[in-house]
Coordinates of all heavy atoms in Angstrom, one line a residue:
M242 N -12.9 -4.9 -9.6 CA -11.8 -4.9 -8.7 C -10.7 -5.8 -9.2 O -11.0 -6.8 -9.8 CB -12.3 -5.4 -7.3 CG -13.3 -4.5 -6.7 SD -13.8 -5.1 -5.1 CE -15.4 -4.5 -5.0
S243 N -9.5 -5.4 -9.0 CA -8.4 -6.2 -9.6 C -7.1 -6.0 -8.9 O -6.8 -4.9 -8.4 CB -8.3 -6.0 -11.1 OG -7.6 -4.8 -11.3
L244 N -6.3 -7.0 -9.0 CA -4.9 -6.9 -8.5 C -4.1 -5.9 -9.4 O -3.2 -5.2 -8.9 CB -4.3 -8.3 -8.6 CG -3.0 -8.5 -7.8 CD1 -3.1 -8.1 -6.4 CD2 -2.5 -10.0 -8.0
A245 N -4.5 -5.8 -10.7 CA -3.8 -4.9 -11.6 C -4.0 -3.5 -11.1 O -3.1 -2.6 -11.2 CB -4.3 -5.1 -13.0
A246 N -5.2 -3.2 -10.7 CA -5.5 -1.8 -10.2 C -4.7 -1.5 -8.9 O -4.2 -0.4 -8.8 CB -7.0 -1.7 -9.9
C247 N -4.5 -2.5 -8.1 CA -3.7 -2.3 -6.9 C -2.3 -2.0 -7.3 O -1.6 -1.1 -6.8 CB -3.8 -3.5 -6.0 SG -2.9 -3.3 -4.4
T248 N -1.8 -2.7 -8.3 CA -0.4 -2.5 -8.8 C -0.3 -1.1 -9.4 O 0.7 -0.4 -9.1 CB -0.1 -3.6 -9.8 OG1 -0.2 -4.9 -9.2 CG2 1.3 -3.4 -10.4
E249 N -1.2 -0.7 -10.2 CA -1.2 0.6 -10.8 C -1.2 1.7 -9.7 O -0.5 2.7 -9.8 CB -2.4 0.8 -11.7 CG -2.3 -0.1 -13.0 CD -3.6 0.0 -13.8 OE1 -4.5 0.9 -13.5 OE2 -3.8 -0.9 -14.6
F250 N -2.0 1.5 -8.7 CA -2.1 2.5 -7.6 C -0.7 2.6 -6.9 O -0.2 3.7 -6.6 CB -3.2 2.1 -6.6 CG -3.4 3.1 -5.5 CD1 -3.5 4.5 -5.8 CD2 -3.4 2.8 -4.2 CE1 -3.7 5.4 -4.8 CE2 -3.6 3.7 -3.2 CZ -3.7 5.0 -3.5
L251 N -0.1 1.4 -6.6 CA 1.3 1.4 -6.0 C 2.3 2.2 -6.9 O 3.1 3.0 -6.4 CB 1.7 0.0 -5.8 CG 1.0 -0.7 -4.7 CD1 1.5 -2.2 -4.6 CD2 1.2 -0.1 -3.3
D252 N 2.2 2.0 -8.2 CA 3.1 2.7 -9.1 C 2.8 4.2 -9.0 O 3.8 5.0 -9.0 CB 2.9 2.2 -10.6 CG 3.4 0.8 -10.8 OD1 4.2 0.3 -10.0 OD2 2.9 0.2 -11.8
K253 N 1.5 4.6 -8.9 CA 1.2 6.0 -8.8 C 1.8 6.6 -7.5 O 2.3 7.7 -7.5 CB -0.3 6.2 -8.9 CG -0.7 7.7 -8.8 CD -2.2 7.9 -9.1 CE -2.5 9.3 -8.9 NZ -2.6 10.1 -10.1
I254 N 1.6 5.9 -6.4 CA 2.1 6.3 -5.1 C 3.6 6.5 -5.3 O 4.2 7.5 -4.8 CB 1.8 5.3 -4.0 CG1 0.3 5.3 -3.7 CG2 2.6 5.6 -2.7 CD1 -0.1 4.1 -2.8
N255 N 4.3 5.6 -5.9 CA 5.8 5.6 -6.0 C 6.2 6.8 -6.8 O 7.4 7.3 -6.6 CB 6.3 4.3 -6.6 CG 7.7 4.0 -6.3 OD1 8.2 4.5 -5.2 ND2 8.4 3.3 -7.1
S256 N 5.4 7.3 -7.7 CA 5.8 8.4 -8.6 C 5.2 9.8 -8.2 O 5.5 10.8 -8.9 CB 5.5 8.1 -10.0 OG 4.1 8.1 -10.2
D257 N 4.5 9.9 -7.1 CA 3.8 11.1 -6.8 C 4.0 11.4 -5.3 O 3.5 10.8 -4.4 CB 2.3 10.9 -7.0 CG 1.4 12.1 -6.8 OD1 1.8 12.9 -5.9 OD2 0.4 12.2 -7.4
A258 N 4.9 12.4 -5.1 CA 5.2 12.8 -3.7 C 4.0 13.2 -2.8 O 4.0 12.9 -1.7 CB 6.3 13.9 -3.7
A259 N 3.1 13.9 -3.4 CA 1.9 14.3 -2.6 C 1.1 13.1 -2.2 O 0.6 13.0 -1.1 CB 1.0 15.3 -3.5
L260 N 1.0 12.1 -3.1 CA 0.2 10.9 -2.8 C 1.0 10.0 -1.8 O 0.4 9.4 -0.9 CB -0.1 10.1 -4.1 CG -0.9 8.9 -3.9 CD1 -2.3 9.2 -3.2 CD2 -1.2 8.2 -5.3
Q261 N 2.3 10.1 -1.9 CA 3.1 9.4 -0.8 C 2.8 10.0 0.5 O 2.6 9.2 1.5 CB 4.6 9.5 -1.2 CG 5.1 8.7 -2.3 CD 6.5 9.0 -2.7 OE1 7.3 9.5 -1.9 NE2 6.9 8.6 -3.9
Q262 N 2.8 11.3 0.6 CA 2.5 11.9 1.9 C 1.1 11.6 2.4 O 0.8 11.3 3.5 CB 2.6 13.4 1.8 CG 2.4 14.2 3.1 CD 3.3 13.7 4.2 OE1 4.5 13.6 4.1 NE2 2.7 13.4 5.4
E263 N 0.1 11.6 1.5 CA -1.3 11.3 1.8 C -1.3 9.8 2.3 O -2.0 9.5 3.3 CB -2.2 11.5 0.6 CG -3.6 11.2 0.9 CD -4.6 11.5 -0.3 OE1 -4.1 11.7 -1.4 OE2 -5.8 11.4 -0.1
T264 N -0.6 8.9 1.7 CA -0.6 7.5 2.1 C 0.0 7.4 3.5 O -0.6 6.7 4.3 CB 0.2 6.7 1.0 OG1 -0.4 6.8 -0.2 CG2 0.2 5.2 1.4
T265 N 1.1 8.1 3.7 CA 1.7 8.1 5.0 C 0.7 8.5 6.1 O 0.6 7.9 7.1 CB 3.0 9.0 5.0 OG1 3.9 8.4 4.0 CG2 3.6 9.0 6.3
T266 N 0.0 9.6 5.8 CA -0.9 10.2 6.8 C -2.1 9.3 7.1 O -2.4 9.0 8.2 CB -1.4 11.6 6.2 OG1 -0.3 12.4 6.0 CG2 -2.4 12.2 7.2
V267 N -2.7 8.7 6.1 CA -3.9 7.9 6.3 C -3.5 6.5 6.9 O -4.4 6.0 7.6 CB -4.7 7.7 5.1 CG1 -5.2 9.0 4.5 CG2 -4.1 6.8 4.0
L268 N -2.3 6.1 6.7 CA -1.9 4.8 7.3 C -1.2 4.9 8.6 O -1.0 3.8 9.3 CB -1.1 4.0 6.3 CG -1.8 3.5 5.0 CD1 -0.8 2.9 4.0 CD2 -2.9 2.5 5.4
E269 N -1.0 6.1 9.0 CA -0.3 6.3 10.3 C -1.0 5.6 11.5 O -2.2 5.8 11.6 CB -0.1 7.8 10.6 CG 0.8 8.0 11.8 CD 1.1 9.5 11.9 OE1 1.0 10.2 10.9 OE2 1.3 9.9 13.1
G270 N -0.3 4.8 12.2 CA -0.9 4.1 13.3 C -1.7 2.8 13.0 O -2.2 2.2 14.0
K271 N -1.8 2.5 11.8 CA -2.5 1.3 11.4 C -1.6 0.1 11.5 O -0.7 0.0 10.6 CB -3.1 1.4 10.0 CG -3.9 2.6 9.7 CD -5.2 2.7 10.6 CE -6.1 3.9 10.2 NZ -5.7 5.2 10.8
E272 N -1.7 -0.7 12.5 CA -0.7 -1.8 12.7 C -1.3 -3.2 12.3 O -0.5 -4.1 12.0 CB -0.2 -1.8 14.1 CG 0.7 -0.6 14.4 CD 1.4 -0.6 15.7 OE1 1.6 -1.7 16.2 OE2 1.7 0.5 16.2
E273 N -2.6 -3.3 12.3 CA -3.2 -4.6 12.0 C -3.3 -4.6 10.4 O -3.7 -3.7 9.8 CB -4.5 -4.7 12.6 CG -4.5 -4.8 14.1 CD -3.7 -5.9 14.7 OE1 -3.8 -7.0 14.1 OE2 -2.9 -5.7 15.6
I274 N -3.0 -5.8 9.9 CA -3.0 -5.9 8.4 C -4.4 -5.6 7.8 O -4.4 -5.0 6.8 CB -2.5 -7.3 8.0 CG1 -2.3 -7.4 6.5 CG2 -3.5 -8.4 8.5 CD1 -1.5 -8.6 6.0
E275 N -5.4 -6.1 8.5 CA -6.7 -5.8 7.9 C -7.1 -4.4 7.9 O -7.7 -3.8 7.0 CB -7.8 -6.7 8.7 CG -7.6 -8.2 8.5 CD -6.6 -8.8 9.4 OE1 -6.1 -8.1 10.3 OE2 -6.3 -10.0 9.2
E276 N -6.8 -3.7 9.0 CA -7.1 -2.3 9.1 C -6.3 -1.5 8.1 O -6.9 -0.6 7.4 CB -6.8 -1.8 10.6 CG -7.1 -0.3 10.8 CD -6.7 0.2 12.1 OE1 -5.9 -0.5 12.8 OE2 -7.2 1.2 12.5
A277 N -5.0 -1.8 8.0 CA -4.2 -1.1 7.0 C -4.7 -1.3 5.6 O -4.8 -0.4 4.7 CB -2.8 -1.5 7.1
A278 N -5.1 -2.6 5.3 CA -5.6 -2.9 4.0 C -6.9 -2.2 3.6 O -7.0 -1.7 2.5 CB -5.8 -4.4 3.8
N279 N -7.8 -2.1 4.6 CA -9.0 -1.5 4.4 C -8.8 0.0 4.1 O -9.5 0.6 3.2 CB -10.0 -1.7 5.6 CG -10.5 -3.1 5.6 OD1 -10.7 -3.7 4.6 ND2 -10.7 -3.6 6.8
V280 N -8.0 0.7 4.9 CA -7.7 2.1 4.7 C -7.0 2.3 3.3 O -7.3 3.3 2.6 CB -6.8 2.6 5.8 CG1 -6.3 4.0 5.5 CG2 -7.6 2.6 7.1
F281 N -6.1 1.4 2.9 CA -5.4 1.5 1.7 C -6.4 1.4 0.5 O -6.3 2.1 -0.5 CB -4.4 0.4 1.6 CG -3.4 0.6 0.4 CD1 -2.5 1.6 0.4 CD2 -3.4 -0.3 -0.6 CE1 -1.6 1.8 -0.6 CE2 -2.5 -0.1 -1.7 CZ -1.6 0.9 -1.7
V282 N -7.4 0.5 0.7 CA -8.5 0.3 -0.4 C -9.3 1.6 -0.5 O -9.6 2.1 -1.6 CB -9.4 -0.9 0.0 CG1 -10.7 -0.8 -0.8 CG2 -8.6 -2.2 -0.2
L283 N -9.6 2.2 0.6 CA -10.4 3.5 0.6 C -9.6 4.6 -0.1 O -10.1 5.4 -0.9 CB -10.8 3.9 2.0 CG -11.8 3.0 2.6 CD1 -12.0 3.5 4.1 CD2 -13.1 3.0 1.9
L284 N -8.3 4.7 0.2 CA -7.4 5.7 -0.4 C -7.3 5.4 -2.0 O -7.4 6.3 -2.8 CB -6.0 5.6 0.2 CG -5.1 6.7 -0.4 CD1 -5.6 8.1 -0.1 CD2 -3.7 6.5 0.3
G285 N -7.2 4.1 -2.3 CA -7.1 3.8 -3.7 C -8.4 4.2 -4.5 O -8.4 4.8 -5.5
A286 N -9.6 3.9 -3.8 CA -10.9 4.3 -4.4 C -11.0 5.8 -4.6 O -11.5 6.3 -5.6 CB -12.0 3.7 -3.6
K287 N -10.5 6.5 -3.6 CA -10.5 8.0 -3.7 C -9.8 8.5 -4.9 O -10.1 9.5 -5.5 CB -9.9 8.6 -2.4 CG -9.8 10.1 -2.4 CD -9.1 10.6 -1.2 CE -8.8 12.1 -1.3 NZ -8.1 12.5 -0.1
H288 N -8.8 7.7 -5.4 CA -8.0 8.1 -6.5 C -8.3 7.4 -7.8 O -7.6 7.4 -8.8 CB -6.5 8.0 -6.2 CG -6.0 9.0 -5.2 ND1 -5.6 10.3 -5.5 CD2 -5.9 8.9 -3.8 CE1 -5.3 10.9 -4.4 NE2 -5.5 10.2 -3.4
G289 N -9.5 6.7 -7.7 CA -10.0 6.0 -8.9 C -9.5 4.6 -9.2 O -9.6 4.0 -10.3
Y290 N -9.0 3.9 -8.1 CA -8.5 2.6 -8.3 C -9.3 1.6 -7.4 O -9.5 1.9 -6.2 CB -7.0 2.5 -7.8 CG -6.1 3.3 -8.7 CD1 -5.8 4.6 -8.4 CD2 -5.5 2.7 -9.8 CE1 -5.0 5.4 -9.1 CE2 -4.6 3.5 -10.6 CZ -4.4 4.8 -10.2 OH -3.5 5.6 -11.0
E291 N -9.9 0.6 -8.0 CA -10.7 -0.3 -7.3 C -10.1 -1.7 -7.1 O -9.7 -2.3 -8.1 CB -12.1 -0.5 -8.1 CG -12.9 0.7 -8.0 CD -14.3 0.5 -8.6 OE1 -14.9 -0.6 -8.3 OE2 -14.9 1.3 -9.2
F292 N -9.9 -2.0 -5.9 CA -9.3 -3.3 -5.5 C -9.8 -3.6 -4.1 O -10.2 -2.7 -3.4 CB -7.8 -3.3 -5.7 CG -7.1 -2.2 -4.9 CD1 -6.7 -2.4 -3.6 CD2 -6.8 -1.0 -5.6 CE1 -6.1 -1.3 -2.9 CE2 -6.2 0.0 -4.9 CZ -5.8 -0.1 -3.6
T293 N -9.7 -4.9 -3.7 CA -10.1 -5.3 -2.4 C -9.0 -5.3 -1.4 O -7.8 -5.3 -1.8 CB -10.7 -6.7 -2.5 OG1 -9.7 -7.6 -2.8 CG2 -11.9 -6.8 -3.5
A294 N -9.3 -5.4 -0.2 CA -8.3 -5.5 0.9 C -7.5 -6.8 0.7 O -6.3 -6.9 0.8 CB -8.9 -5.5 2.3
A295 N -8.2 -7.9 0.3 CA -7.5 -9.2 0.0 C -6.5 -9.0 -1.1 O -5.4 -9.6 -1.1 CB -8.6 -10.2 -0.3
E296 N -6.9 -8.2 -2.2 CA -6.0 -8.0 -3.3 C -4.8 -7.2 -2.8 O -3.6 -7.4 -3.3 CB -6.7 -7.4 -4.4 CG -7.7 -8.3 -5.1 CD -8.7 -7.6 -6.0 OE1 -9.0 -6.4 -5.9 OE2 -9.2 -8.4 -6.9
A297 N -5.0 -6.2 -2.0 CA -3.9 -5.4 -1.5 C -2.9 -6.3 -0.7 O -1.7 -6.2 -0.8 CB -4.4 -4.2 -0.6
I298 N -3.5 -7.1 0.2 CA -2.7 -8.0 1.0 C -1.9 -9.0 0.0 O -0.7 -9.2 0.2 CB -3.5 -8.8 2.0 CG1 -4.0 -7.8 3.0 CG2 -2.7 -9.9 2.6 CD1 -5.1 -8.4 4.0
Q299 N -2.6 -9.5 -1.0 CA -1.9 -10.4 -1.9 C -0.8 -9.7 -2.6 O 0.3 -10.3 -2.8 CB -2.9 -10.9 -2.9 CG -2.3 -11.9 -4.0 CD -3.3 -12.3 -5.0 OE1 -4.5 -12.1 -4.9 NE2 -2.8 -12.8 -6.1
K300 N -1.0 -8.5 -3.1 CA 0.1 -7.7 -3.7 C 1.2 -7.5 -2.8 O 2.4 -7.7 -3.2 CB -0.5 -6.4 -4.3 CG 0.6 -5.6 -5.0 CD 1.1 -6.3 -6.2 CE 2.1 -5.5 -6.9 NZ 2.8 -6.3 -8.0
Y301 N 1.0 -7.2 -1.6 CA 2.0 -7.0 -0.6 C 2.8 -8.3 -0.5 O 4.1 -8.3 -0.5 CB 1.4 -6.6 0.8 CG 2.4 -6.8 1.9 CD1 3.5 -6.0 2.0 CD2 2.2 -7.8 2.8 CE1 4.4 -6.1 3.0 CE2 3.1 -7.9 3.9 CZ 4.2 -7.1 3.9 OH 5.1 -7.3 5.0
Q302 N 2.1 -9.4 -0.3 CA 2.8 -10.7 -0.2 C 3.7 -11.0 -1.4 O 4.8 -11.6 -1.3 CB 1.8 -11.8 0.1 CG 1.2 -11.6 1.5 CD 0.0 -12.6 1.7 OE1 -0.6 -13.0 0.8 NE2 -0.3 -12.8 3.0
E303 N 3.2 -10.7 -2.6 CA 3.9 -11.0 -3.8 C 5.2 -10.1 -3.8 O 6.3 -10.6 -4.2 CB 3.1 -10.6 -5.1 CG 2.0 -11.6 -5.4 CD 1.1 -11.2 -6.5 OE1 1.4 -10.1 -7.2 OE2 0.1 -11.8 -6.8
V304 N 5.1 -8.9 -3.5 CA 6.2 -8.0 -3.5 C 7.2 -8.4 -2.5 O 8.4 -8.4 -2.7 CB 5.7 -6.5 -3.3 CG1 6.9 -5.6 -3.0 CG2 4.9 -6.0 -4.4
M305 N 6.8 -8.8 -1.3 CA 7.7 -9.3 -0.3 C 8.4 -10.5 -0.8 O 9.6 -10.7 -0.5 CB 6.9 -9.7 1.0 CG 6.4 -8.5 1.8 SD 7.6 -7.5 2.4 CE 8.3 -8.6 3.7
A306 N 7.7 -11.4 -1.4 CA 8.4 -12.7 -1.9 C 9.4 -12.4 -3.0 O 10.4 -13.0 -3.1 CB 7.3 -13.6 -2.5
Q307 N 9.1 -11.4 -3.8 CA 10.0 -11.0 -4.9 C 11.1 -10.1 -4.5 O 12.2 -10.0 -5.1 CB 9.2 -10.3 -6.1 CG 8.2 -11.3 -6.7 CD 7.4 -10.6 -7.7 OE1 7.5 -9.4 -7.9 NE2 6.4 -11.3 -8.3
G308 N 10.9 -9.3 -3.4 CA 11.9 -8.4 -3.0 C 12.3 -7.3 -4.0 O 13.4 -6.9 -4.1
E309 N 11.3 -6.9 -4.8 CA 11.5 -6.0 -5.8 C 11.8 -4.5 -5.4 O 12.4 -3.8 -6.1 CB 10.3 -5.9 -6.8 CG 10.1 -7.2 -7.6 CD 8.9 -7.2 -8.5 OE1 8.2 -6.2 -8.4 OE2 8.8 -8.1 -9.2
G310 N 11.3 -4.2 -4.2 CA 11.5 -2.8 -3.8 C 10.8 -1.7 -4.6 O 11.4 -0.7 -4.9
E311 N 9.6 -1.9 -5.0 CA 8.9 -1.0 -5.9 C 8.7 0.4 -5.2 O 8.6 1.4 -5.9 CB 7.6 -1.6 -6.4 CG 7.8 -2.7 -7.3 CD 6.4 -3.3 -7.7 OE1 5.4 -2.7 -7.4 OE2 6.4 -4.4 -8.3
L312 N 8.4 0.4 -3.9 CA 8.1 1.6 -3.2 C 9.3 2.0 -2.4 O 10.1 1.2 -1.9 CB 6.9 1.5 -2.3 CG 5.6 1.1 -3.0 CD1 4.5 0.9 -1.9 CD2 5.2 2.2 -3.9
D313 N 9.5 3.3 -2.1 CA 10.6 3.7 -1.2 C 10.3 3.3 0.2 O 9.2 3.0 0.6 CB 10.9 5.2 -1.4 CG 9.8 6.1 -0.8 OD1 9.3 5.8 0.2 OD2 9.6 7.2 -1.4
D314 N 11.4 3.2 1.0 CA 11.2 2.7 2.4 C 10.2 3.4 3.2 O 9.5 2.7 4.0 CB 12.6 2.7 3.1 CG 13.6 1.7 2.6 OD1 13.1 0.7 1.9 OD2 14.8 1.8 2.8
E315 N 10.1 4.7 3.1 CA 9.2 5.4 4.0 C 7.7 5.1 3.6 O 6.9 4.8 4.5 CB 9.4 6.9 3.8 CG 8.4 7.8 4.6 CD 8.6 9.3 4.4 OE1 9.8 9.7 4.1 OE2 7.6 10.0 4.6
V316 N 7.4 5.0 2.3 CA 6.1 4.6 1.9 C 5.8 3.2 2.3 O 4.7 2.9 2.8 CB 5.9 4.8 0.4 CG1 4.5 4.3 0.0 CG2 6.0 6.3 0.1
L317 N 6.7 2.3 2.1 CA 6.5 0.9 2.4 C 6.3 0.8 3.9 O 5.4 0.0 4.3 CB 7.8 0.1 2.1 CG 8.0 0.0 0.6 CD1 9.3 -0.8 0.4 CD2 6.9 -0.8 0.0
E318 N 7.0 1.5 4.7 CA 6.8 1.3 6.2 C 5.4 1.8 6.6 O 4.7 1.2 7.4 CB 7.8 2.2 6.9 CG 7.7 1.9 8.4 CD 8.9 2.6 9.2 OE1 10.0 2.6 8.7 OE2 8.6 3.1 10.3
Q319 N 4.9 2.9 6.0 CA 3.6 3.4 6.3 C 2.5 2.4 5.7 O 1.5 2.1 6.4 CB 3.4 4.8 5.7 CG 4.2 5.8 6.4 CD 3.9 5.8 7.9 OE1 2.8 5.8 8.3 NE2 5.0 5.9 8.6
V320 N 2.7 1.9 4.5 CA 1.7 1.0 4.0 C 1.7 -0.3 4.8 O 0.7 -0.9 5.0 CB 2.0 0.7 2.5 CG1 1.1 -0.4 2.0 CG2 1.9 2.0 1.7
A321 N 2.9 -0.6 5.4 CA 3.0 -1.8 6.2 C 2.5 -1.5 7.6 O 2.5 -2.4 8.5 CB 4.5 -2.2 6.3
G322 N 1.9 -0.4 7.9 CA 1.4 -0.1 9.2 C 2.5 0.1 10.2 O 2.4 -0.2 11.4
G323 N 3.7 0.5 9.7 CA 4.8 0.8 10.6 C 5.6 -0.4 11.0 O 6.5 -0.3 11.8
R324 N 5.3 -1.6 10.5 CA 6.1 -2.8 10.9 C 7.2 -3.0 9.9 O 7.0 -3.0 8.7 CB 5.1 -4.0 10.8 CG 4.0 -3.8 11.8 CD 3.5 -5.1 12.1 NE 2.4 -5.0 13.0 CZ 1.9 -5.9 13.6 NH1 2.3 -7.1 13.5 NH2 0.9 -5.7 14.4
G325 N 8.3 -3.3 10.4 CA 9.5 -3.7 9.6 C 9.7 -3.0 8.3 O 8.8 -2.4 7.8
R326 N 10.9 -3.0 7.8 CA 11.2 -2.4 6.6 C 11.6 -3.4 5.5 O 12.2 -3.1 4.6 CB 12.3 -1.4 6.8 CG 11.9 -0.3 7.6 CD 13.0 0.8 7.6 NE 12.3 2.0 7.7 CZ 12.7 3.1 7.1 NH1 13.7 3.2 6.4 NH2 12.0 4.2 7.3
S327 N 11.2 -4.6 5.6 CA 11.6 -5.6 4.7 C 11.0 -5.4 3.3 O 11.7 -5.6 2.3 CB 11.2 -7.0 5.1 OG 9.9 -7.0 5.6
Y328 N 9.9 -4.9 3.1 CA 9.3 -4.4 1.9 C 7.8 -4.7 2.0 O 7.4 -5.7 2.3 CB 9.8 -5.0 0.6 CG 9.1 -4.4 -0.5 CD1 9.5 -3.2 -1.0 CD2 8.0 -5.0 -1.1 CE1 8.9 -2.6 -2.0 CE2 7.4 -4.4 -2.1 CZ 7.8 -3.2 -2.6 OH 7.1 -2.6 -3.6
G329 N 7.1 -3.8 1.5 CA 5.8 -4.1 1.2 C 4.8 -3.1 1.5 O 4.9 -2.1 2.1
V330 N 3.8 -3.5 0.9 CA 2.5 -2.9 1.2 C 2.1 -3.6 2.4 O 1.1 -4.4 2.3 CB 1.6 -3.0 0.0 CG1 0.3 -2.4 0.2 CG2 2.3 -2.5 -1.2
S331 N 2.9 -3.6 3.4 CA 2.7 -4.4 4.5 C 1.4 -4.1 5.1 O 1.2 -3.1 5.8 CB 3.8 -4.3 5.5 OG 3.4 -5.1 6.6
L332 N 0.5 -4.9 4.9 CA -0.7 -4.8 5.5 C -0.7 -5.8 6.6 O -1.6 -6.5 6.8 CB -1.8 -5.0 4.4 CG -1.5 -4.1 3.3 CD1 -2.4 -4.4 2.1 CD2 -1.8 -2.6 3.6
A333 N 0.4 -5.9 7.3 CA 0.5 -6.8 8.4 C 0.9 -6.2 9.7 O 1.6 -5.3 9.8 CB 1.6 -7.9 8.0

């Protein structure tokens, strides 16, 4: 498990429209950070990426701190469990 795998998965989401839609669908309605992170981990595993919920949350926090905007707003909002659009794999 690794933070690098989480980063790679985010890059894949960002470049794959079908995966963006799948991510949106599986994260719909997930508002608690832990629940969203756990679902995100399962989705990553389904696509061959192994990382923990803690690593997903850590990556989200890093991205939020950097304000890099790696994912488009729609995906970010879904990964964030529908909270705010500031950025992130908001598992909050």
Side-chain angles (χ1 to χ4, degrees):
M242 296 183 207
S243 77
L244 194 55
C247 184
T248 300
E249 290 171 16
F250 185 51
L251 290 173
D252 290 342
K253 181 173 175 98
I254 292 170
N255 204 28
S256 66
D257 184 328
L260 186 53
Q261 288 175 16
Q262 181 58 49
E263 184 177 6
T264 302
T265 298
T266 300
V267 300
L268 291 173
E269 188 171 336
K271 308 297 186 277
E272 294 188 21
E273 297 298 321
I274 190 168
E275 293 82 10
E276 181 182 18
N279 288 329
V280 170
F281 192 70
V282 166
L283 292 174
L284 182 62
K287 175 182 173 184
H288 290 276
Y290 297 88
E291 290 189 38
F292 52 89
T293 65
E296 290 165 337
I298 292 168
Q299 179 183 345
K300 181 62 182 172
Y301 165 69
Q302 291 170 337
E303 288 176 7
V304 171
M305 288 295 292
Q307 294 173 1
E309 292 179 354
E311 292 177 10
L312 299 176
D313 68 39
D314 287 342
E315 181 180 330
V316 173
L317 291 177
E318 186 171 323
Q319 291 303 314
V320 174
R324 298 199 181 196
R326 291 189 149 216
S327 47
Y328 182 80
V330 176
S331 173
L332 306 167

